[in-house]
């Protein structure tokens, strides 16, 4: 996730790195990391609590603190390295275990990092659990085939990604673009749904 730009509403937390440039009546550069209490220490300006501050508000907060000590200065601040969070991938995963991922990571990101479902794992009913409750359920077929990320969410520390056993499966063979074995939805699937996943029939196939 190093190449991902943090959104303006990204909320700072312990472990995030801040890069700050100050010029004018005073000139200095600083790279600061939020400590376990979510604070940074700015030379001569004191301790500044930043945990819970949105990225869009970072510069105003820092300017307000420095203005108590300095006048006639300009300031630029940006987010450097992001903190890591720990999540768990359990159930029928290819590589179950504990993973340290970027604080910008989503459910889909973590699935790819962990290798996704095993051969016995479900592609259609992956569950994100938070505090013992289901937050969302993801159908990887919708994501892969349609680019649908409506059920993808940003992860939080301690999240559990549970991959249940695969449901019923059906084999598609013959004159189709993507002949394979496909998992059916728990709520049922029509023949048209399954053929759609297989890329539809080729011009050589009969619709009967």
């Amino acid at each position: 996730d190093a190449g991902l730009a943090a959104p303006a509403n990204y909320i700072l937390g312990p472990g995030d790195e801040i890069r700050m440039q100050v010029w004018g009546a005073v000139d200095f550069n600083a790279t600061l990391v939020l400590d376990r209490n979510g604070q940074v220490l700015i030379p001569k300006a004191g301790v500044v609590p930043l945990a819970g501050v949105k990225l869009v508000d970072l510069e105003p907060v820092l300017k307000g603190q420095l203005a108590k000590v300095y006048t006639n200065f300009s300031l630029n601040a940006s987010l450097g390295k992001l903190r890591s969070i720990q999540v768990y991938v359990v159930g029928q995963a290819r590589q179950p275990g504990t993973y340290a991922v970027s604080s910008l990571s989503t459910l889909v990101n973590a699935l790819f990092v962990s290798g996704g479902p095993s051969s016995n794992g479900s592609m259609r009913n992956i569950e994100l659990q938070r505090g013992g409750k289901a937050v969302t359920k993801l159908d990887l077929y919708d994501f892969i085939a349609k680019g649908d990320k409506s059920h993808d969410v940003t992860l939080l520390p301690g999240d559990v990604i549970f991959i249940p056993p695969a449901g019923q499966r059906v084999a598609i063979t013959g004159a189709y673009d993507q002949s394979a074995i496909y998992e059916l939805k728990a709520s049922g699937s029509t023949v048209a749904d399954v053929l759609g996943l297989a890329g539809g029939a080729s011009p050589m196939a009969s619709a009967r």
Side-chain angles (χ1 to χ4, degrees):
D1 293 323
L4 295 178
N9 62 353
Y10 177 80
I11 296 177
L12 298 169
D16 280 332
E17 180 185 83
I18 302 301
R19 296 172 182 167
M20 184 173 64
Q21 297 175 313
V22 181
W23 67 96
V26 59
D27 291 276
F28 67 88
N29 297 334
T31 298
L32 310 167
V33 178
L34 276 67
D35 64 19
R36 67 180 63 185
N37 297 315
Q39 302 174 330
V40 295
L41 176 62
I42 301 177
K44 297 185 179 180
V47 173
V48 184
L50 291 178
V53 172
K54 291 183 179 180
L55 182 57
V56 69
D57 297 322
L58 175 60
E59 286 189 4
V61 169
L62 292 175
K63 284 179 180 177
Q65 182 70 17
L66 265 68
K68 298 176 182 178
V69 181
Y70 304 111
T71 58
N72 300 320
F73 68 90
S74 296
L75 180 149
N76 174 265
S78 61
L79 191 59
K81 294 179 182 178
L82 298 172
R83 67 185 184 271
S84 293
I85 60 173
Q86 194 173 72
V87 299
Y88 306 90
V89 181
V90 301
Q92 300 297 318
R94 191 176 300 275
Q95 298 177 37
T98 303
Y99 288 86
V101 297
S102 157
S103 52
L104 286 181
S105 294
T106 68
L107 171 55
V108 168
N109 296 146
L111 282 171
F112 280 104
V113 168
S114 66
S118 69
S119 58
N120 296 320
S122 175
M123 295 276 287
R124 313 218 63 171
N125 197 31
I126 298 168
E127 185 173 278
L128 177 65
Q129 301 173 354
R130 183 174 296 158
K133 297 181 180 179
V135 174
T136 188
K137 289 188 177 181
L138 178 71
D139 184 338
L140 267 181
Y141 283 2
D142 285 344
F143 172 70
I144 294 169
K146 306 172 187 176
D148 181 2
K149 294 189 71 175
S150 59
H151 294 282
D152 192 21
V153 298
T154 301
L155 298 173
L156 294 179
D159 278 354
V160 175
I161 299 168
F162 172 64
I163 304 176
Q168 289 184 316
R169 291 167 169 169
V170 62
I172 302 294
T173 60
Y176 291 90
D177 292 338
Q178 299 180 49
S179 297
I181 297 174
Y182 294 92
E183 182 184 354
L184 301 178
K185 280 188 176 180
S187 57
S189 300
T190 66
V191 173
D193 292 335
V194 177
L195 294 183
L197 291 171
S202 77
M204 300 297 292
S206 169
R208 296 180 184 178

